[in-house]
Amino acid sequence: MTGVSTIAAIATGPAAGGIGIIRISGPEALQTARRVVIGLPERPSPRHAYLARFTDGNETVLDEGLALFFPGPRSFTGDDVVELHAHGAPRLLSMLLDVILRAETVRLATPGEFTRRAYLAGRIDLTHAEALADLISAESEAQVRAAAAQLTGEFGERLSKVKAPLLALQADIEGAMDFPEEAEGAEKDAAGRLSEIVKNARSLLDDSKRGALIRRGARVVLFGPVNAGKSTLFNALLGANRALVDEEPGTTRDTLEGKLELNGLAVTLVDTAGLRDEPGRIEKLGIERTKEAVASADLTLELVPPGAKPTRDDTLVVHTKIDTVTPSPSGRGPGVRELSLSAKTGEGLEALRDELFKRLGGTLAGAVVSSSERHVRALSDIVEALERASSAASVSTLEVVAGEIGVALDAIAELDGSDARTELLDAIFQRFCIGK
Ligand SMILES: Nc1nc2c(ncn2[C@@H]2O[C@H](COP(=O)(O)OP(=O)(O)OP(=O)(O)O)[C@@H](O)[C@H]2O)c(=O)[nH]1
Ligand SMILES: [Mg+2]
């Protein structure tokens, strides 16, 4: 016996639907399935869809559907797997699962346990498992695409283009340290080889950052003086009357969030309390929140009403209420794009949407290779260690260079799961739901 337990769970969502799937994985999968299935032959053909009847464990038939047998090791989890495709009635599925779980050798799967087994069996790697979790929780088209890009393994491929030459370099340096008479020129060569590796790591980091932004969605904050037209623009972009609008300055006191999708990119839009010199007590609290919102933004729009001037140079400037003035937006120098619009008439709104998409998503279908915040953090560590190794290569000893490369290699090992710690695994697989 393998010692692996047999697990079972409902693999489809909790709502009623056309089809509901119960998945059983482990050495007892087939025997267990027979508790509720009539119609599976003694030796079912692999991956064949058998017309089956599902019972209450006694003789009473409850439903009709399909039963499939995926013998290990060529199954998703690497164990024997049986899938029962019944109708998607939540009550029916839980009755069938109850009967299955009454078998002593079977227990309910924990969240993500099927995928965890697939990883442990070497069926998928860690980045693949995370991509699956992302795909399951994707809310926008761009999120689906980012997860898919990761699923195809492009990320792992590009990571290995950093890892392999780095391992080779480390081996050379250690050789040179052990045999100093041959070390001549190794330092010089190390710098050159490192700079190529750093370049690849950095570009992977940049692409992953963009992917992570797509995954969690971008935060766009509306910022500006009272009465600039923030709430009016907020409502116009959301296409709904979410925020109160009034000619009285200081209408908005709390931050307000709304979600929209820009050509498939998920965006959280944040309306904030307007700024002014002598705010009331509550308004002051609101302005504190405005500052926090701006600090957490991926992009801040500074709304400038007619007659006023932009105050920051890290924002996208939007001149408002152009229906009330003959346009003469103040420039910020060549090359800096400023927009003008009227949230009231809708003029300039399309150009704003285009500009937002350009700044946030760029070319979505392009070089998105990963969508994970974990990857971004790990890659930042890798790039930093490699940069330290690079500068050490020109001013310091080989030992120091080797030390920094070692740090980078450890971070890479953690990233691709070749040295994954248990708590890291827990954190990743807990993001799944039961049955996945
Ligand atoms: N003509 C015109 N009026 C506008 C436009 N946008 C907003 N307004 C008016 O300007 C006033 C203030 O608009 P709000 O959207 O509440 O401005 P705000 O920036 O949210 O103001 P606070 O919440 O007080 O900071 C309201 O009377 C709006 O109807 C516009 O594009 N054209
Ligand atoms: Mg407002």
Side-chain angles (χ1 to χ4, degrees):
M1 281 271 92
T2 58
V4 182
S5 54
T6 298
I7 54 175
I10 298 168
T12 40
I19 295 178
I21 297 176
I22 291 176
R23 200 185 246 170
I24 312 168
S25 173
E28 308 288 321
L30 202 51
Q31 281 106 297
T32 307
R34 292 191 199 284
R35 296 173 71 91
V36 293
V37 175
I38 302 175
L40 263 182
E42 189 53 35
R43 292 168 189 276
S45 307
R47 298 175 294 281
H48 181 87
Y50 290 96
L51 193 62
R53 278 183 287 175
F54 304 123
T55 70
D56 63 357
N58 300 313
E59 306 288 86
T60 313
V61 173
L62 300 176
D63 192 20
E64 246 183 20
L66 300 174
L68 294 90
F69 176 53
F70 305 84
R74 288 185 55 205
S75 67
F76 177 60
T77 59
D79 303 327
D80 283 359
V81 172
V82 174
E83 279 187 12
L84 309 178
H85 297 208
H87 288 102
R91 198 69 196 92
L92 164 74
L93 294 170
S94 69
M95 282 166 76
L96 294 175
L97 184 64
D98 277 349
V99 178
I100 288 167
L101 291 176
R102 252 181 259 147
E104 256 166 33
T105 47
V106 184
R107 64 171 171 77
L108 184 65
T110 58
E113 194 172 5
F114 290 97
T115 316
R116 185 179 188 130
R117 286 193 172 187
Y119 165 71
L120 292 174
R123 303 287 296 167
I124 57 174
D125 73 10
L126 208 47
T127 61
H128 198 111
E130 288 177 291
L132 277 176
D134 285 349
L135 186 60
I136 290 163
S137 59
E139 281 179 353
S140 73
E141 182 184 329
Q143 287 165 344
V144 170
R145 289 184 188 282
Q150 197 172 323
L151 265 179
T152 61
E154 199 186 323
F155 178 81
E157 232 165 73
R158 281 181 60 184
L159 186 63
S160 65
K161 285 202 181 116
V162 174
K163 185 178 183 177
L166 200 57
L167 280 169
L169 177 60
Q170 184 77 326
D172 288 353
I173 290 179
E174 280 173 8
M177 290 191 304
D178 290 345
F179 306 101
E181 63 276 12
E182 290 163 36
E184 193 110 358
E187 284 176 63
K188 222 171 158 195
D189 197 23
R193 287 161 72 181
L194 264 174
S195 82
E196 183 66 23
I197 296 169
V198 175
K199 208 180 79 194
N200 287 336
R202 227 185 260 133
S203 104
L204 187 54
L205 172 62
D206 288 346
D207 289 343
S208 298
K209 269 188 186 160
R210 216 153 48 77
L213 180 82
I214 286 167
R215 173 169 171 266
R216 73 182 141 82
R219 273 182 89 75
V220 173
V221 172
L222 303 178
F223 161 88
V226 288
N227 257 352
K230 299 180 294 299
S231 300
T232 309
L233 180 61
F234 180 78
N235 289 340
L237 286 172
L238 293 182
N241 253 332
R242 288 281 314 282
L244 276 178
V245 166
D246 197 86
E247 64 196 15
E248 192 180 306
T251 305
T252 306
R253 288 163 165 209
D254 235 334
T255 53
L256 218 72
E257 295 190 0
K259 289 198 187 291
L260 69 142
E261 199 171 316
L262 269 181
N263 305 337
L265 176 70
V267 173
T268 301
L269 195 63
V270 185
D271 184 21
T272 62
L275 308 178
R276 65 168 150 184
D277 288 339
E278 288 176 16
R281 190 174 64 87
I282 310 252
E283 216 181 330
K284 223 182 204 158
L285 298 175
I287 291 174
E288 281 307 311
R289 295 196 169 187
T290 301
K291 288 178 182 154
E292 284 165 22
V294 168
S296 74
D298 294 303
L299 179 65
T300 302
L301 304 192
E302 181 168 9
L303 271 61
V304 181
K309 290 223 172 335
T311 61
R312 299 168 63 117
D313 54 15
D314 56 351
T315 57
L316 170 60
V317 172
V318 178
H319 297 275
T320 59
K321 308 191 189 182
I322 53 168
D323 56 302
T324 65
V325 285
T326 38
S328 63
S330 60
R332 277 203 297 185
V336 184
R337 182 117 196 261
E338 299 193 3
L339 300 179
S340 304
L341 56 79
S342 163
K344 199 168 198 169
T345 66
E347 190 187 346
L349 271 185
E350 228 14 76
L352 173 64
R353 281 198 192 93
D354 289 348
E355 183 71 18
L356 285 179
F357 181 67
K358 213 167 82 197
R359 293 200 181 208
L360 297 170
T363 49
L364 274 187
V368 172
V369 289
S370 163
S371 56
S372 149
E373 304 277 352
R374 189 178 80 85
H375 294 176
V376 172
R377 277 196 307 276
L379 281 167
S380 303
D381 291 348
I382 293 165
V383 167
E384 274 172 27
L386 288 175
E387 279 168 349
R388 287 195 304 269
S390 254
S391 49
S394 48
V395 300
S396 197
T397 62
L398 281 184
E399 278 85 353
V400 178
V401 179
E404 295 296 357
I405 293 179
V407 173
L409 283 172
D410 280 350
I412 291 176
E414 194 167 298
L415 184 52
D416 67 8
S418 50
D419 185 26
R421 299 188 312 276
T422 317
E423 63 278 29
L424 180 65
L425 294 183
D426 285 344
I428 288 165
F429 290 107
Q430 267 159 15
R431 293 175 52 211
F432 287 88
C433 34
I434 291 175
K436 294 290 175 325

